[in-house]
Amino acid sequence: MSSSTQPGPAEGLARAGAEPARAQPTLLRLEGIVKQFPGVRALDGVSFELRPGEVHVLFGENGAGKSTVINIIAGIFPPDEGRYTFDGQEIKGLTPFKARQLKIQAVFQEFSLVGELSVEQNLVLGREPTRRGAVDRRAMREQATAIFRRLGFDLRPDVLVSSLSRAQQQMVEIAKAILADVRVLILDEPTASLTDSEAERLFSIVDELRGQGVAIIYVSHRMREISRLADRITVLRDGRHIATVNQADVSDDRLIELMTGRRVDILFPDIPATPGDLTLEVDNLTLADGRVQQASIKAHAGEIVGIAGLVGCGKSELIRAVYGLAEVAQGQAVYRGKPLRVKRPIDALDQGICYFPSDRAREGLALTRPIRENASMAALRRPEFSRHGILRRASENAVVKRIMEQLKLRPPNIEPQVGNLSGGNRQKVLLARGLARPVEVFMFDEPTVGIDVGAKLEVYEMMRGLVQDGKTVILVSSELPEVMGLAHRLYVMHDGKVVAHFEREHFSETAILSQFFPRQDSGTALEEAAP
């Protein structure tokens, strides 16, 4: 695949080492797979094949059917029609347990860890090492230590999973899958919560597994990862198989065109800034847990303010504190010239401030409830939705349908359970919640994590519409190109502190990245970009 960055020697070796996979017989094959959910035809005659020793990327917009394909392969649910063949044998009645017996392991976006157990217990759950009829805790610890050393992950085996960050839980899921004896490994957006160095280590492990003959299904929307890893790419659109291509034979632009069915020339839309009144000011904010220290930012109506930095720098914690999700030790947030009094999120919502969390499944959505209820739940006390404590169902339907049409929900049905939706459609449901009531300040925390290029464009267009309407947008993102491409002003955080502020005309990747790792002698003072 063509790219502006040429592969280095190690990547060239990885590509050369992958060539023999093309001569291998097919290990896993899906033929004419159909899967229907209530109101949704998720797969319509999809075929897919996987060979030993290859990395086969599944590529497509959210809602294209990627998640449904890998869930069928992993035995989460059965196909309604079609044929599933593994190692020459037709498979029927597959369950997750039987899939593991076939040595099919999956790492999904939604984690399957037990929070009340330790990291090492989660790693070997269901296949615990034993000695004389009892769990061999020493062997369990040795296995955990060895796999973390191999992966380069800095994790303690003895801590509870519930105490870990999302990025750390992602590491545990990856280690758990690789620790098992595996023939097929499914990786669904595995780098979404990892730092660049952790992701590079994962790529090396993928190369190693491929060299051992493991067949890998890799789901990602990041073009750099696809260029780095893929042997073949299967493109899905609207539940149908569009094409299967060799990675070396297709350009980024062509892949996006296959995925969306349209040409995408510019990823980040032009969003003119029309800065108005100062709406939100954070003044010397320090959190009780110390994750944010003396942080100050300003945001005006009619602009996008970006906050960038490495994972764990405090950027997410800062806006969570504004929304009442973290305890403030000192400092304050000021909204339209008055101190913001927020004890819980509903207080922020009532004053016109909305927060969209990065972890949609755990914090943002009720997965077992329909789209309609998720979109309206934060606005039920408003007269459009209820009167005298009684829900106005017809009005609720009309309002939510209008919002979801605006966000281009596909398919346009507001009754399916949110848990059955793709990542991109889940994000749209979450965004709808902020449009269901009057909001002036929209705080986005990693809004495009785990969603495809087409869905990203729709999120960006929504941000443009908000800015044109005079709203304030605060964007927290770990994707530097994204925050540089959208923000009119940009703050950089490091170790809980705001260390730099850039106006758009002074944006430079080199200058901004240098503030991700500030000099030891730079102190804690904010560095303003020089004109």
Side-chain angles (χ1 to χ4, degrees), residues 1-273:
M1 185 179 352
S2 66
S3 173
S4 59
T5 302
Q6 295 298 318
E11 293 182 36
L13 287 173
R15 296 268 59 77
E19 289 298 324
R22 297 181 180 175
Q24 294 283 346
T26 298
L27 174 63
L28 183 152
R29 176 179 283 119
L30 304 180
E31 299 174 86
I33 298 295
V34 173
K35 184 63 185 178
Q36 185 88 20
F37 295 108
V40 179
R41 193 173 181 86
L43 295 179
D44 188 4
V46 167
S47 296
F48 172 81
E49 67 171 25
L50 183 67
R51 301 166 185 164
E54 79 164 336
V55 177
H56 197 138
V57 167
L58 273 178
F59 191 65
E61 295 187 85
N62 286 281
K66 305 184 304 297
S67 296
T68 307
V69 168
I70 60 178
N71 274 286
I72 286 174
I73 291 173
I76 306 299
F77 40 69
D80 297 328
E81 299 177 26
R83 194 164 181 257
Y84 182 146
T85 304
F86 186 84
D87 210 8
Q89 301 293 318
E90 185 170 0
I91 303 297
K92 295 183 178 181
L94 186 67
T95 64
F97 177 73
K98 290 180 180 178
R100 288 193 295 271
Q101 286 183 315
L102 293 173
K103 302 181 181 179
I104 299 172
Q105 295 286 335
V107 178
F108 293 107
Q109 287 189 58
E110 311 304 337
F111 303 152
S112 58
L113 302 172
V114 181
E116 293 73 24
L117 297 181
S118 68
V119 167
E120 59 192 1
Q121 288 172 319
N122 271 274
L123 289 180
V124 298
L125 190 61
R127 51 176 187 271
E128 294 85 349
T130 59
R131 184 182 182 191
R132 297 175 183 173
V135 174
D136 189 340
R137 296 189 177 276
R138 181 176 179 180
M140 184 167 60
R141 176 68 52 85
E142 289 174 349
Q143 287 184 34
T145 302
I147 190 65
F148 290 148
R149 185 182 300 116
R150 177 185 172 195
L151 291 170
F153 291 165
D154 183 18
L155 289 172
R156 284 180 50 191
D158 58 328
V159 301
L160 291 181
V161 161
S162 59
S163 70
L164 301 180
S165 68
R166 179 170 176 81
Q168 291 170 321
Q169 291 184 23
Q170 177 84 75
M171 296 176 197
V172 176
E173 283 279 18
I174 292 168
K176 180 180 177 181
I178 293 175
L179 187 61
D181 185 15
V182 61
R183 295 185 69 188
V184 173
L185 177 63
I186 301 170
L187 296 173
D188 185 10
E189 297 285 354
T191 62
S193 300
L194 302 184
T195 65
D196 287 346
S197 60
E198 291 161 350
E200 283 298 330
R201 184 60 192 144
L202 175 64
F203 299 159
S204 297
I205 294 296
V206 169
D207 288 338
E208 179 184 328
L209 292 170
R210 169 167 48 196
Q212 295 170 0
V214 175
I216 298 169
I217 301 172
Y218 197 97
V219 179
S220 178
H221 303 112
R222 300 182 179 186
M223 307 306 288
R224 184 179 67 88
E225 292 183 14
I226 296 173
S227 297
R228 167 68 174 82
L229 295 173
D231 295 303
R232 291 190 295 161
I233 304 162
T234 287
V235 181
L236 302 178
R237 189 196 316 147
D238 297 330
R240 297 182 177 89
H241 175 270
I242 299 301
T244 295
V245 295
N246 293 325
Q247 181 269 340
D249 300 334
V250 66
S251 68
D252 290 0
D253 288 347
R254 177 57 179 157
L255 266 184
I256 294 174
E257 189 174 346
L258 287 170
M259 178 185 74
T260 63
R262 61 186 185 276
R263 188 171 179 81
V264 180
D265 295 312
I266 301 174
L267 181 57
F268 300 111
D270 178 32
I271 306 178

Side-chain angles (χ1 to χ4, degrees), residues 420-440:
N420 292 333
L421 301 180
S422 65
N425 278 334
R426 289 184 185 187
Q427 181 67 303
K428 291 177 183 179
V429 176
L430 190 60
L431 296 178
R433 195 175 298 165
L435 300 177
R437 57 181 301 147
V439 171
E440 294 298 320

